[in-house]
Amino acid sequence: MFGKRGHLDIALEGIFRPSFPNHKEVATGYAGLNFAVSTFPVIALAIIGFIYLHLLPRKPRIRQARSSATALSNPLVVNSIVGILSSFEILLVFLFVIFLVWTYYARISNDFKKLMPVKSLKLNTWQLKYLRVATRFGLLAEACLALLLLPILRGLSLFRLLGIQFEASVRYHIWLGTAMIFFATIHGGSTLFVWGVSQHIQDEMWRWQKTGRIYLAGEIALVTGLVMWITSLPQIRRKKFEFFYYTHHLYIIFLIFFLFHAGDRHFYMVFGGIFLFGLDKLLRFIQSRPEACILSARVFPSKAIELILPKHAGKASSPCKVTFMRNIYTTPKFFVIPIAGLKFTPTSVIFMKIPSISKFQWHSFSITSSSSVDDQTMSLVVKCEGEWTSSLYQMIHAELDSDADQMRCIPVAIEGPYGPATMDFLRYDSLLLVAGGIGITPFLSILQEIASAQSNRKYRFPSKVQLIYVIKSSQEICLLNSISPLLSNQPSKKWHLTLKVFVTQEEQSSVTVREVLNDLSLVRAVRFGTQSNYAVNGLESLIWMAALVGITSILFVIFLISLNHIFVPVEKKLPSEKLAAPSEKVVSKEKTPSWVADLIILSSFIIAITGSTLMAILLRWRRLKKQTPPVSLNQGKAVQVLGPIEEEHEINFGGRPNFEEIFSELEKETAGSDIGVLVCGPESMKESDSRAILDFISSYGPIVNLSIQRGSSYIHQTMRGKMQLSPQ
C-alpha cells in the first residue's frame, strides 16, 4: 500500500534491460544499481562523516570568527507543543514539506495524464483518479520512512555532523513517524474505500500476489504501524513504558511486510536508514556486554542519588624498542606507550539498564564527572521520581539499612557515552549556565572540565562563568557537592565562577550555600561489593565504526549478487522456440515471484550484519582481555567539605531569576564580549526561561553577543553563534 511501480521504474527498466543478456543478470544488475543509487549515498555519508568527526579537535584551541550563517541556529519558536525550534530546524522542515508537495504534484499530474484502467477492477474515471491519489500518498509515507530511523541512531548517528545529539534528534523521529502514519493511513484507507465502492474489497483485500505489490502485506504493515504509533503517545508511554517498549519492537514486522508490499526497488529507497539502524542496534548490544558493577552511591535529599561507576582508565603497554636511524650506532631506547582510557566530552549521556529492576528498560542520564579529572570512575546523578528510578532508590536504601559488612554487587549494563564530538559550544569569553532542578547535572561536568583545562594553554575556555540554579528546596543545593572545591577556592586567576541560587518554594532563611554543602547529615554514602572485573569501555573509535560500516555494505553487495545468481533462475527457452525463426520466437511467460527478490535482500542483510557482528565481538573480546581491573572500593568518592566561601555566591528565596537584571550586570562585567548561555531543566522551566531570554534580547538590541543553548534534563545539540540563540 505504500507505493506502486511508477513510470520512472519502467523507463529505467527499458534503458538498462538491453545491457544484460538474461533474466538473472537483469535481476543482479537491478539489485546492484538500486543499492548504489538509492542506499549507498546514505552509507557513504556516514563513512565520510565519521572520518571527519574523528579528525576534529575535541577541545577548542582558538576562538574563530563566527559567520553570519550560524544565525540560522537562532531559536525562533518557543511553545509547549513543539518546544524550542531554531531557524535552521524550521528551514529544514519547510524544505522537506516543499519536497513532499513537489513530489506528490509531479507524480499525480503525470498519473492523470496517463490514466490506464486496472484490469482486475472495473472503475469509472473518478474512482480511478482517487485510486491514483491514494497510491501517491503511499510514496509520501515512504519518503518519511526513509528518514525515520536516522534520528534515533546513537553510535552511528549522522546528526552529530550538525552538532545535534540523540536527545534532541528524537523529536524528529516522532514528527516523521506521525507524518508517515498519517500518509499511510490515507493511502490504505482510501484504497480500501475504492475497493469497497467498486465491490471488489473481498477479492483484493486478502490477495497475496505472486508478482507486483502484495496488498495483504501492506495491510499488515499499516495495522502494525498504527499499533506502534498509538502506544507511543505520551499518555500511554509515560504510564506504561514497558508496554510501549515491547510494542515498539513490532518495527521488525512492519519493515518486513513493507518490503513484501512495496517491493525491492522501493525498499532500497528506505534501506539506508534501516542498514545503519540495524548495525547500530547490534553494536550497542555488544557494547553493553559484559556488565559492570556500581562501585558506590550517595543518597542526597529530595530523592536524588549519585552513582559511581568504574570506567576503563587505560594502561601502559609493554615497553617497545625504538631505534633512531640518524646514527647507526645509536643505542636502542625503550619507551612505554600509554593506552588511552575512556574519554568523553562534557554534557555526554549514558544509557543504563539494571537487570535486577528491569531486563529491558534503558534510561539515559547525564554524566556529572569529567574524564579529564576522573581517570578511573564516572558519576551520574539520578532524580528518583518515576517507577524505575523509585525502585533504584528503594534498592539503595535497602542496602543502607542492612547490617551486612559487604554490600551486594548491583550489576549494570551501560551504553555510551554519547556526547558532542567537540567542545566548540564552550568557545565563549563568558558563560552563563541556567539550571533547574536535576538540570544541573550536565553543568557539573562542564565546570570540572573548564577547571581542569586552565593549566593547558593550548585550549581556550570561558574566563568568567556564572551559574544560575533554580530549585524548589534549599536541600537540593547538595547536588553541587562535586564542584564545592571550585566554589570555595578558585583554582586560578584565569577564570572566575559565581553561583546564584533561587529557591522558589521556601520562605526567607539565613542558611548559606556553605552551610548546606557542609551538612554531611544530609548525604548518606554506601559502597558495594564488586563481582565483575569489567569497567565501562565506551564506544569504539569513529575510524573503526566507519570501517565496519564499509565492510558490512561490501558484504551485503557480495551476498546479494551471489544469492541472486543462485536463486533467480535463468530464462529458459521453450522447445518450439529453438526451432522457430527469430521473428517467431515464443518467450516463456513464467516469472520469478517478487517475494523471492525480497527474501534475497533480507537474507543478504542478515548474513552481512551477522558477519560484521561476529567481527565486532572478536575485537571487543580482545580489547577486554587487555583491560585493567576496575577501581577498588577504597577509591570511591568522598563527600567534599567546603572551605572558606566567597561572599559573592548568593542564595535567594521565594522568587525566580530576573534575566533582564542578570544580563545587564553580566554585559557590564564582560564589556560586550561573547557570552554563551546554556539552559537545562524541566520543560516548563526551559520554555519560560528561554522565552524570557528571547524577549530580553529582542528589546535589548545588538549590544550583547549572546548564544543560548538548551536542554531538558540534559544538554541537547551544540551550536554556536554571534548575537544568536542557538538550540541546544
Side-chain angles (χ1 to χ4, degrees):
M1 285 188 180
F2 287 89
K4 292 184 178 293
R5 188 178 179 191
H7 298 284
L8 179 61
D9 301 322
I10 300 173
L12 284 174
E13 181 176 351
I15 294 173
F16 288 101
R17 181 182 295 274
S19 61
F20 303 110
N22 56 51
H23 180 68
K24 178 183 290 187
E25 294 188 12
V26 168
T28 303
Y30 272 136
L33 176 65
N34 285 321
F35 179 82
V37 173
S38 304
T39 303
F40 186 72
V42 178
I43 298 175
L45 177 63
I47 295 173
I48 296 172
F50 296 150
I51 296 174
Y52 168 75
L53 292 175
H54 176 78
L55 298 176
L56 281 179
R58 193 171 68 96
K59 295 185 178 181
R61 294 179 179 269
I62 57 174
R63 300 192 191 278
Q64 298 176 346
R66 296 168 185 152
S67 64
S68 57
T70 56
L72 288 175
S73 57
N74 294 344
L76 196 62
V77 176
V78 179
N79 61 50
S80 58
I81 299 177
V82 297
I84 302 177
L85 290 179
S86 67
S87 304
F88 179 70
E89 291 171 314
I90 294 176
L91 177 62
L92 287 183
V93 172
F94 176 75
L95 292 177
F96 184 65
V97 171
I98 292 297
F99 168 76
L100 293 180
V101 172
W102 175 83
T103 300
Y104 188 82
Y105 174 77
R107 291 298 184 96
I108 202 67
S109 299
N110 193 39
D111 289 345
F112 285 172
K113 292 177 182 178
K114 301 178 180 179
L115 275 179
M116 297 183 65
V118 181
K119 295 180 180 179
S120 60
L121 302 175
K122 296 180 180 179
L123 304 177
N124 55 36
T125 303
W126 78 265
Q127 292 173 345
L128 191 58
K129 287 185 176 181
Y130 190 56
L131 183 62
R132 299 310 299 167
V133 168
T135 301
R136 293 312 178 188
F137 267 105
L139 290 180
L140 300 185
E142 183 180 308
C144 295
L145 180 59
L147 303 176
L148 180 64
L149 298 177
L150 297 180
I152 56 175
L153 298 177
R154 296 181 190 173
L156 301 179
S157 175
L158 298 181
F159 281 84
R160 294 181 68 190
L161 294 170
L162 301 175
I164 304 174
Q165 299 310 307
F166 172 79
E167 293 75 26
S169 62
V170 165
R171 61 177 177 172
Y172 308 145
H173 172 76
I174 297 173
W175 297 347
L176 288 167
T178 302
M180 182 195 72
I181 291 299
F182 174 75
F183 294 136
T185 303
I186 295 178
H187 166 65
S190 299
T191 303
L192 292 174
F193 173 75
V194 172
W195 291 345
V197 297
S198 62
Q199 299 181 352
H200 289 87
I201 190 168
Q202 292 293 336
D203 299 331
E204 301 293 330
M205 187 174 180
W206 308 106
R207 288 184 62 189
W208 189 281
Q209 298 94 317
K210 184 177 180 180
T211 59
R213 307 295 172 252
I214 301 174
Y215 300 145
L216 181 59
E219 294 155 14
I220 296 174
L222 177 58
V223 172
T224 306
L226 284 171
V227 171
M228 289 193 297
W229 180 77
I230 292 173
T231 56
S232 66
L233 294 174
Q235 297 84 349
I236 299 177
R237 185 182 70 247
R238 293 170 183 169
K239 295 181 180 179
K240 301 290 183 181
F241 180 82
E242 289 200 2
F243 183 60
F244 152 75
Y245 181 84
Y246 298 144
T247 55
H248 231 58
H249 279 75
L250 292 173
Y251 71 85
I252 299 175
I253 297 176
F254 172 81
L255 292 176
I256 290 175
F257 281 97
F258 168 78
L259 169 61
F260 286 135
H261 173 67
D264 54 337
R265 292 190 182 93
H266 285 274
F267 187 73
Y268 280 116
M269 297 296 296
V270 305
F271 186 54
I274 298 172
F275 180 92
L276 293 177
F277 177 78
L279 190 58
D280 181 74
K281 191 84 171 177
L282 289 175
L283 290 179
R284 283 157 41 197
F285 177 82
I286 296 171
Q287 185 209 347
S288 63
R289 270 70 174 174
E291 296 171 348
C293 283
I294 299 175
L295 292 178
S296 62
R298 292 192 292 175
V299 181
F300 295 104
S302 303
K303 296 189 69 175
I305 298 177
E306 181 184 38
L307 302 179
I308 311 299
L309 303 173
K311 76 177 182 72
H312 180 44
K315 66 175 183 178
S317 65
S318 57
C320 60
K321 182 172 69 175
V322 180
T323 302
F324 296 97
M325 300 305 295
R326 289 179 300 174
N327 189 332
I328 60 174
Y329 300 105
T330 300
T331 303
K333 297 183 179 181
F334 291 85
F335 294 90
V336 176
I337 301 177
I339 299 176
L342 173 59
K343 296 293 184 182
F344 48 84
T345 51
T347 74
S348 294
V349 300
I350 62 171
F351 284 78
M352 182 172 67
K353 179 183 71 174
I354 302 181
S356 56
I357 298 178
S358 173
K359 295 185 181 298
F360 301 102
Q361 286 194 37
W362 292 86
H363 293 263
S364 60
F365 301 99
S366 294
I367 300 176
T368 58
S369 58
S370 169
S371 58
S372 301
V373 178
D374 298 326
D375 291 330
Q376 296 181 313
T377 63
M378 61 193 303
S379 60
L380 53 97
V381 176
V382 180
K383 184 72 170 179
C384 303
E385 294 179 334
E387 182 179 348
W388 187 91
T389 52
S390 296
S391 299
L392 174 62
Y393 185 82
Q394 295 170 4
M395 181 185 298
I396 301 296
H397 257 281
E399 297 295 335
L400 283 170
D401 298 336
S402 66
D403 298 329
D405 296 333
Q406 183 77 15
M407 304 300 180
R408 65 186 180 91
C409 168
I410 300 181
V412 294
I414 301 295
E415 289 182 7
Y418 305 108
T422 68
M423 288 184 279
D424 284 348
F425 64 101
L426 297 179
R427 188 181 294 171
Y428 299 101
D429 299 317
S430 301
L431 202 61
L432 176 64
L433 310 178
V434 182
I438 196 62
I440 190 65
T441 51
F443 297 154
L444 300 178
S445 62
I446 288 176
L447 293 173
Q448 294 179 67
E449 187 73 29
I450 293 175
S452 67
Q454 296 305 315
S455 59
N456 196 328
R457 296 182 178 180
K458 294 189 301 181
Y459 306 132
R460 298 294 302 273
F461 285 96
S463 58
K464 181 177 179 61
V465 180
Q466 184 171 129
L467 174 60
I468 308 296
Y469 191 24
V470 184
I471 51 179
K472 296 179 180 179
S473 169
S474 58
Q475 290 184 338
E476 295 184 48
I477 300 177
C478 288
L479 297 181
L480 301 177
N481 187 270
S482 61
I483 61 168
S484 57
L486 307 182
L487 296 171
S488 58
N489 301 312
Q490 299 293 336
S492 68
K493 296 181 180 179
K494 296 181 179 179
W495 79 295
H496 188 72
L497 173 63
T498 305
L499 170 66
K500 292 184 179 181
V501 180
F502 293 85
V503 184
T504 60
Q505 296 185 5
E506 287 186 7
E507 298 299 328
Q508 187 67 33
S509 172
S510 59
V511 68
T512 64
V513 175
R514 179 185 176 185
E515 290 173 352
V516 176
L517 289 177
N518 282 345
D519 190 354
L520 302 183
S521 63
L522 299 176
V523 182
R524 301 178 65 188
V526 56
R527 300 181 188 277
F528 297 97
T530 178
Q531 300 174 358
S532 174
N533 292 325
Y534 299 103
V536 179
N537 279 269
L539 304 171
E540 303 293 345
S541 68
L542 291 170
I543 289 292
W544 184 91
M545 287 193 286
L548 189 66
V549 171
I551 292 172
T552 307
S553 61
I554 293 173
L555 288 176
F556 172 79
V557 173
I558 292 174
F559 283 105
L560 182 67
I561 295 175
S562 301
L563 293 178
N564 264 293
H565 274 282
I566 295 172
F567 292 104
V568 177
V570 180
E571 287 184 345
K572 296 181 179 180
K573 295 182 179 181
L574 298 176
S576 58
E577 183 181 357
K578 297 179 181 179
L579 301 175
S583 58
E584 300 175 352
K585 285 185 178 181
V586 180
V587 181
S588 173
K589 296 295 183 180
E590 292 186 13
K591 290 185 178 180
T592 304
S594 59
W595 53 263
V596 172
D598 302 336
L599 288 179
I600 288 176
I601 295 175
L602 189 61
S603 302
S604 302
F605 177 59
I606 293 174
I607 295 172
I609 209 169
T610 301
S612 298
T613 301
L614 293 175
M615 183 173 61
I617 292 174
L618 177 61
L619 294 175
R620 179 79 171 180
W621 175 74
R622 293 183 60 183
R623 180 179 177 183
L624 292 176
K625 283 186 63 177
K626 300 177 181 179
Q627 177 178 292
T628 55
V631 63
S632 65
L633 295 177
N634 294 328
Q635 292 175 283
K637 289 186 177 180
V639 178
Q640 303 284 351
V641 178
L642 195 63
I645 191 169
E646 307 265 346
E647 293 184 359
E648 57 187 336
H649 300 312
E650 60 184 59
I651 180 170
N652 304 276
F653 291 87
R656 299 185 64 84
N658 185 332
F659 286 105
E660 183 174 355
E661 179 181 337
I662 291 172
F663 282 126
S664 299
E665 294 178 358
L666 191 60
E667 194 276 329
K668 293 177 182 178
E669 295 173 359
T670 57
S673 60
D674 286 347
I675 304 173
V677 180
L678 280 70
V679 181
C680 186
E683 288 294 331
S684 57
M685 172 261 181
K686 180 186 66 176
E687 291 165 9
S688 60
D689 288 351
S690 297
R691 188 179 291 108
I693 295 171
L694 283 168
D695 293 341
F696 169 70
I697 293 302
S698 61
S699 62
Y700 199 75
I703 299 177
V704 181
N705 298 331
L706 179 68
S707 170
I708 175 176
Q709 303 179 358
R710 69 175 189 274
S712 56
S713 77
Y714 27 68
I715 293 293
H716 289 335
Q717 70 191 62
T718 58
M719 303 180 72
R720 68 185 191 278
K722 189 173 183 180
M723 289 195 305
Q724 70 171 8
L725 303 176
S726 301
Q728 176 82 352

